[in-house]
Amino acid sequence: MVEIFQQILNAIVLGCVYCLIASGLTLVYGIMHVPNFAQGNIYMGAAYLVFLLGCILGFNIIVVYLATVFIMGLFGLIIERCCFRPISNTPHVNGFVIAIGILMVIEGLIVILFGADYKEVLPIWKGKVEFYGITISIQRLLVIFGTFFVMVVLHIILKKTIWGMSLVAMSQNRELALSVGINVNRMTELAFFMSTALAGVGGILMAPISFVFPAMGMPPLLISFAAIIFGGFGSLSGAILGSFIMAFAGVFSMQYISAIVSDIAIFGVMIMVLLFKPTGIMGGKN
Amino acid sequence: MLLECKDIVKNFGGITAVNKINLSIKEGEILGIIGPNGSGKSTLFNLMTGFLPVTSGEILYKGKNITGEPSHSIGRLGIARTFQRTRIFLKETVRDNIAIGLIPKMKHSVWDTVTRGRKNEERLLSERCAEVLHIIGLYEYSERIAGELDQEKQKRVAIGIGLATDPILFLLDEPTGGINVEEVSQLIDIIKRVANKGITICLIEHKVKMIMELCSRIVVLNFGEKIVEGSPGEIIRNENAIRAYLGKEYVTENK
Amino acid sequence: MGKKYLSRQMGYFIGGILILILLPKILYIGFFLHIATVILIMAILCLSLNIIFGYTGQLSLAHGGLFGIGGYVYAILSTKLSLNFWIACPIAAIAAGIAGVLIGVPSLRLRGPFFVIVTLGFNIIIVAIIKNLSKLTGGVNGLMGIPGPSSLFTSLINIDFETGFMKYYLILFFFLIVTFIAYRTKKCLVGKCFAAIKEDEDLCKSVGINTMSLKMQSFILSSILAGLSGVLYASYIGMMIPEDASFHIGFDALVYLTVGGIGTLLGSIVGPTLMIILSEIFQVVAEARTLFNGLALVLLIIFMPKGIIGNVLPLLKKKKV
């Protein structure tokens, strides 16, 4: 019984990370129709940045966290300006390919600077919390609360601020948004900034919990995309729901079947959904 | 009865785009569908051709139920269509555009690449393409890139692509959308030529001239429902039709 | 203009083949010949990717995995079952084709970026499977001592496939065959269908073209050829490790193809030639390869998305007219 709750907690933690990455993906894909395949490696880059600034250079960890999220956001701005905007009038495929290029550049840089082996980031607060026989490390608790906090902030931004509402308007009808006077370029920059910052939050939260290694961005990338497909393209709530479903599927199949099958199980779920409901659970246009 | 729509309903989330429409298209006729924007006309075409799944209702083609069939099967059955927003292969030549329409009837798998000679194919293609190009009046433009032509010619290419499939029923979605009045008569002639080949036509249109000259029967839609149907003469005198299209004021004015 | 252009094209083509045939005599240093052979192997992979991506417009990131399946199946058949190259090779290529069916059925229902991601997922699954079937595949350590083709018809013709020369010619032979297949595919009706699907899939459906079937055919052909390039790699290098099935291989092929020109035939050979030679000149070590290729890709898409051939060829055509 306790076992199951432990697993549930693990799944929630994992789901939080996927949720952050998936939300970022949805933001940018919903508005720009650009699939930022590099999102997984931005999450990875954030983890490495924490490693570099916090563990190697030894700066104050809170400063490191804030700086990393901000730097990742900035990076998103840069790739929007320098890579995606110049090609916005060319065929969509170019966006796919350039995203892969950015993905490769990030991984290539990391491998050269840090090597391909696994690094460890030490948690700020060591120690665990116990209740009803279930233990959870403070760091993991931080993930859950941190994600919750960030998602609430995101919700407020999207629903209550002018910027957020402009973003939502743009995702529904770009031409209309333009004609109403929304500064499309500025909004796109904002979307990218928020998107990569979200991945950055994922990276800083996850770094102390699991190992940091160059390939760590791929599974979350795939699972986040799967979450989006599962939840219905373009729907933020669908992405969040999908993330947690994927996380639960992953954790429970890993526990009760096997680790390898777990990878396959997640894709299996995704493939099943695709075969029977190509528009995802929440429906919506493709 | 060539095509029958029985109690077709289409819901999008909370919006009912098509609400229990009953429609039939008789063989050999030119049926016009008119109605204000958003009345469900294009949605109806999408439902008939399998581009959208119906929420409820049946579509019968030659007596056979084709509801829920994939769009390419419906294309194979002899139902061709054009799209409201002109859809053609902009990067290809006009002739190659037409050729695409011919392909489903020819052997075109990867295996055939290995096993078939190309000379015979090329000859067949050329003949049929030339035929279609003459009907739409674009024979001189065969080798031009479709994307470089003006809107009116592009609309003709779209008709040509559908013609190439040798259809029995041809659904035309606003074939004169965005075309000015002078060029409309050319398109009217082309559609007449198509009808003369024995092809049944169903036409979504806004231009009164088109509808009056071409259609033997008209159906008026509004808010996803069929308001009235009848001959052009009947429709133009029908209050409900005028109200739907032009608003209440016109009804009282023209009385 | 038509006939003259055609014979000029034939001239270039024959000239190109002659150069490729005479290459070993020119590059008498073994290392250079080795590079040329590797280029040809990658060119075959690029040609295969070109069929599903360049012609049909579906970007597959599973080609590294398909390459790996070809190599591994050949390795297993030739080492564990001691099968002859000429029997093991087609079986391995077909195995890759079967993988293509399994991947294609769920994936090709998706459009655009979702197809890309799902194929990437499948590539990861393939590597995971390879690593875990250790009894068969040697697990993380891979398989060694993979034989190349043995002498062909020793009683009639005694060709020793052990020399660098013969290895090069064998791979050149397959390269020319694959080039021919790609050329035929592009020119025949099916090629027109692929191009039409790439441009507007719904329009194709409205005309009665079964786009799913055609996309599957394209993907299966592409998979078989990718598997073939894997077989040639395994038989040439003699060794297969799980990294040889990684999505990085697929990424590299994408980079090379983009450099050469997506959708063009020549691009599949120009791209890898340029990139592989450049990375040798700049002494790009294995670790830096991803960065080098990635940068090339980003810069190329921004400044020259049609690749070398894509930008150069129209210029040449304009001059003639």
Side-chain angles (χ1 to χ4, degrees), chain B residues 51 71-72 76 87-91 96 100-101 103-104 107-110 113 116 118 121 125 161 165, chain C residues 184-185 187-190 192-196 199-200 202-210 214 217 221:
Chain B
F51 273 92
S71 37
H72 66 85
R76 285 278 196 141
R87 275 176 106 151
I88 59 176
F89 299 105
L90 297 164
K91 293 190 187 140
D96 280 343
I100 307 274
I103 285 179
K107 295 248 182 232
H108 61 278
S109 72
V110 168
T113 319
R116 291 181 76 83
R118 283 170 46 216
E121 268 173 8
L125 266 177
I161 296 176
T165 66
Chain C
R184 275 286 277 187
T185 304
K187 287 291 175 181
C188 286
L189 276 186
V190 75
K192 284 204 164 84
C193 281
F194 290 164
E199 206 180 320
D200 192 338
D202 281 334
L203 183 55
C204 289
K205 282 172 153 180
S206 76
V207 152
I209 295 178
N210 188 341
L214 278 163
Q217 290 177 41
L221 176 62

Side-chain angles (χ1 to χ4, degrees), chain B residues 90-157:
Chain B
L90 297 164
K91 293 190 187 140
E92 310 288 336
T93 63
V94 171
R95 191 181 159 281
D96 280 343
N97 264 269
I98 309 296
I100 307 274
L102 294 168
I103 285 179
K105 300 240 160 93
M106 308 175 76
K107 295 248 182 232
H108 61 278
S109 72
V110 168
W111 182 245
D112 297 312
T113 319
V114 176
T115 53
R116 291 181 76 83
R118 283 170 46 216
K119 290 269 165 63
N120 227 21
E121 268 173 8
E122 287 294 325
R123 194 176 45 84
L124 235 86
L125 266 177
S126 288
E127 284 172 13
R128 271 292 283 161
C129 280
E131 204 187 313
V132 174
L133 285 166
H134 278 299
I135 296 181
I136 59 174
L138 287 179
Y139 189 71
E140 300 79 44
Y141 293 85
S142 297
E143 299 305 319
R144 293 278 302 274
I145 304 287
E148 291 169 10
L149 299 177
D150 61 64
Q151 171 78 315
E152 191 261 339
K153 298 199 177 61
Q154 286 190 4
K155 286 279 188 189
R156 288 201 246 168
V157 174

Side-chain angles (χ1 to χ4, degrees), chain A residues 29 35 37 82-83 86-87 93-94 96-98 100-105 107-109 111-112 218-219 221-222 225-226 228-229 233 260 263-264 267 270-271 274-275 278 286, chain C residues 53 57 59 61 105-106 109-114 116-118 120-122 124-125 128-129 132 247-248 251-252 254-255 258 287-288 290-291 293-295 297-298 301-302 305:
Chain A
Y29 187 65
F37 296 135
C82 304
C83 301
I87 65 169
V93 253
N94 287 350
F96 301 179
V97 182
I98 215 175
I100 293 173
I102 298 171
L103 181 166
M104 290 172 79
V105 168
E107 183 181 335
L109 266 172
V111 166
I112 291 180
M218 282 308 188
L221 174 73
L222 294 166
F225 258 99
I228 295 179
I229 298 177
F233 317 99
I260 318 131
D263 287 340
I264 303 181
F267 292 117
M270 186 169 74
I271 289 164
L274 291 171
L275 286 178
N286 61 350
Chain C
F53 181 41
L59 176 53
L61 293 182
V105 165
R109 289 163 185 254
L110 301 168
R111 307 273 184 101
F114 301 98
V116 180
I117 282 289
V118 173
L120 181 60
F122 271 110
I124 295 186
I125 293 179
I129 293 177
N132 281 290
F247 53 76
H248 287 112
F251 285 179
D252 288 344
L254 177 63
V255 174
T258 309
E287 288 90 41
T290 312
L291 179 62
N293 286 346
L295 271 171
L297 196 58
V298 173
I301 292 287
I302 298 178

